[in-house]
Amino acid sequence: MEGKGGKRKSERPYKGIRMRKWGKWVAEIREPNKRSRIWLGSYATPVAAARAYDTAVYYLRGPSARLNFPELLVAEFGSGGGGGGGGAGLNDLSAASIRKKAIEVGARVDAVEASVTAHEDDASPSELKPCWFQEKPDLNEKPEPEDPDGDYW
């Protein structure tokens, strides 16, 4: 019998997210002092879901929040914090506004991740090779003249 702990580690590479059976990554967070949760969205990549979670947890708990990507804190919220230094203004946000901000961040990251993946998938091995002579030319194709006059040699 496989233990829960080992399986969960591979399914949850970041805090606050989980993977659906069909492969989508979802994020949610529990509201402080309540049993309810704030739904943070469904994403194609675990990084996007984790960034949405980080945004929500920062708005809920302030600068002391435990984040998946603490190095991105300054880039996302600026050096002065998200809205009131020390977390005082952060707690005034409603669940709906926190959800909206988290979904914006997650969607933006998802779009960037998807475009990077698409570019990697589109690239054939010959495009990734640094040397021109490693490409396999079509021997049935007439070569294009490099000289504008049409001289080959």
Side-chain angles (χ1 to χ4, degrees):
M1 183 171 127
E2 186 176 289
K4 270 186 163 179
K7 186 177 180 187
R8 284 180 173 250
K9 283 285 185 193
S10 64
E11 287 180 8
R12 295 184 190 188
Y14 302 107
K15 185 171 175 43
I17 69 169
R18 68 179 189 277
M19 190 170 82
R20 296 272 193 210
K21 291 177 187 175
W22 52 90
K24 286 280 192 176
W25 291 90
V26 297
E28 61 185 353
I29 189 169
R30 189 177 301 281
E31 291 186 73
N33 305 319
K34 294 182 182 179
R35 295 187 62 157
S36 59
R37 294 179 178 264
I38 301 173
W39 178 253
L40 304 175
S42 178
Y43 304 95
T45 63
V47 173
R51 291 286 307 277
Y53 173 83
D54 280 2
T55 301
V57 76
Y58 184 81
Y59 279 113
L60 286 171
R61 297 192 175 92
S64 63
R66 292 181 59 201
L67 304 172
N68 292 305
F69 302 100
E71 67 279 5
L72 300 176
L73 179 68
V74 174
E76 190 69 35
F77 298 104
S79 59
L90 297 174
N91 295 332
D92 297 338
L93 292 173
S94 69
S97 60
I98 290 172
R99 176 185 303 112
K100 182 180 177 188
K101 289 178 183 293
I103 289 173
E104 286 173 4
V105 171
R108 186 172 5 129
V109 172
D110 224 4
V112 169
E113 292 281 320
S115 70
V116 168
T117 304
H119 287 300
E120 288 174 357
D121 291 344
D122 290 344
S124 68
S126 64
E127 291 177 48
L128 299 175
K129 304 276 185 187
C131 299
W132 63 270
F133 56 83
Q134 290 178 333
E135 293 181 23
K136 294 184 179 180
D138 183 0
L139 298 176
N140 295 322
E141 187 177 328
K142 184 177 178 181
E144 294 284 327
E146 292 183 17
D147 191 331
D149 298 332
D151 296 336
Y152 288 106
W153 311 108

